[in-house]
Amino acid sequence: MGQNWQPDRLGDGYRYLTLELGEDDEGPVAATLVSYTAAPPPPPSLLGRLRAALSRASAPVQPVPVHAVIYIHGWTDYFFQTELAAFWTERGVAFYALDLRKYGRSLRPGQSEGFITDLADYDADIEAALAAAAADVRSSRGEDTPVRISLMAHSTGGLVASLWAHRNPGRIEALILNSPWLELRGSSLARNAAAGILEPLARTRPKTRLKIPELDFYWRSVSAEADGEWELHPEWKPRGSWPIRAGWVTAVLAGHAQVARGLDITAPILLMASARSTIGATWNESMMTSDSVLDVNLMVQRGLLLGPCVTVLRFDGALHDILLSAKPVRRRVYAQLDRWCSAYLLR
């Protein structure tokens, strides 16, 4: 049965596929896979076609492996990073992005935004995306085409992807993390205390909304409506955070605890983050050139516990989502990402 891809809101070259995932207590659940395909290159010259024909005639035909990357967003987020899609396709990598259930394109009326009580439930979203991406590649390159898929993920998505990779060794070529949320800000003591307090509430009333101040500093640093340069969907990435619910926080804290105990991700890992954090209750101009959401030093400490092959890259002037930083910073990020991929992924 064919895949029902539809044109995506991002415009030319973008399309999306709805991944049906059954139902929960709020009704039907789905994830959404977004694909980007650049305009085809011009046809080869006559000399180029002759050389290709001679090469095929003189060597046994072997299916050429295709690399693909699936990008996973963070909390109160969705995929809109078109520069990232262009970066991968320019290197011959098939690019996909996954809007998880109850996020972005996957959010349905009446659903609790981003709500989940066990991060392992996202395994179904990732598995569906992996299968759909592989099928899409083979539909255009041939059914015998080997497809090598890597995951790239940001913030909470980085936590989700790391835990999935730990549970599924050998399934991906590489794991690329953009400021992953691997630990509660503060310490493991704070995390254990918070988990102990929230556990009874999460068990009996998991959708209870916690009274946590909603700061808009990060939104201000990225949104074109404020001091940033990016056009954001007002419902999918609003000025303030979505409601923080007890069951969701408990699920995240459980993931942090697992990371703190150490994971065994066998694929090579790249962790990219800002050089510094600026955490505060009031706006500070340094939030335009630093991570205003997470403690990057703690992030890097936890990142070294993910597996035996971890590369850490830190960028002066980068925001929490380093791909949304000022253009000079983004140029450095993409240059270093290209260098790392040349060594570990596209060798």
Side-chain angles (χ1 to χ4, degrees), residues 40 72 106 124 126-127 142 206 218 226 244 247 297 306 316 322 343:
I72 304 175
S106 308
I126 295 174
E127 293 291 346
Y218 176 58
I244 306 295
N297 291 328
L306 296 178
D316 189 38
I322 61 175

Side-chain angles (χ1 to χ4, degrees), residues 16-261:
Y16 75 89
L17 177 68
T18 300
L19 307 172
E20 302 293 346
L21 300 173
E23 296 189 5
D24 65 6
D25 63 331
E26 295 182 333
V29 176
T32 308
L33 190 66
V34 180
S35 168
Y36 175 65
T37 304
S45 65
L46 176 60
L47 179 59
R49 292 197 299 271
L50 287 172
R51 285 174 174 168
L54 290 173
S55 176
R56 289 193 296 269
S58 62
V61 177
Q62 296 288 342
V64 178
V66 172
H67 287 272
V69 165
I70 298 176
Y71 175 83
I72 304 175
H73 56 80
W75 169 248
T76 315
D77 208 352
Y78 67 103
F79 170 70
F80 61 92
Q81 290 85 345
T82 54
E83 281 186 351
L84 179 64
F87 169 86
W88 287 114
T89 55
E90 287 167 3
R91 285 150 185 79
V93 177
F95 178 81
Y96 300 87
L98 178 62
D99 279 10
L100 297 168
R101 63 182 71 191
K102 303 185 183 183
Y103 284 89
R105 299 163 180 81
S106 308
L107 183 61
R108 303 292 185 260
Q111 289 184 333
S112 302
E113 302 96 332
F115 180 73
I116 206 161
T117 57
D118 187 344
L119 297 183
D121 289 347
Y122 288 129
D123 285 11
D125 305 50
I126 295 174
E127 293 291 346
L130 290 169
D136 186 53
V137 169
R138 292 186 177 115
S139 70
S140 60
R141 307 290 183 93
E143 291 301 317
D144 295 332
T145 302
V147 184
R148 299 174 178 174
I149 299 181
S150 299
L151 292 182
M152 182 174 187
H154 168 58
S155 198
T156 312
L159 175 63
V160 170
S162 296
L163 295 172
W164 180 89
H166 171 70
R167 291 191 294 268
N168 294 272
R171 297 283 304 282
I172 56 174
E173 292 292 303
L175 177 63
I176 302 169
L177 302 174
N178 168 7
S179 301
W181 189 20
L182 302 178
E183 180 60 280
L184 187 67
R185 203 165 67 206
S187 68
S188 58
L189 293 176
R191 167 172 41 81
N192 292 334
I197 294 171
L198 288 175
E199 194 278 331
L201 183 62
R203 187 177 63 252
T204 57
R205 291 185 291 156
K207 292 183 182 178
T208 299
R209 182 172 179 172
L210 304 181
K211 295 181 179 180
I212 297 175
E214 294 185 4
L215 304 177
D216 66 352
F217 306 149
Y218 176 58
W219 177 92
R220 179 173 171 177
S221 70
V222 300
S223 174
E225 296 182 35
D227 299 319
E229 60 178 281
W230 305 96
E231 298 292 338
L232 306 177
H233 192 293
E235 296 179 8
W236 299 349
K237 197 172 181 65
R239 183 165 192 146
S241 172
W242 283 337
I244 306 295
R245 304 182 187 277
W248 176 82
V249 174
T250 301
V252 170
L253 295 180
H256 290 165
Q258 191 172 357
V259 171
R261 292 192 294 269

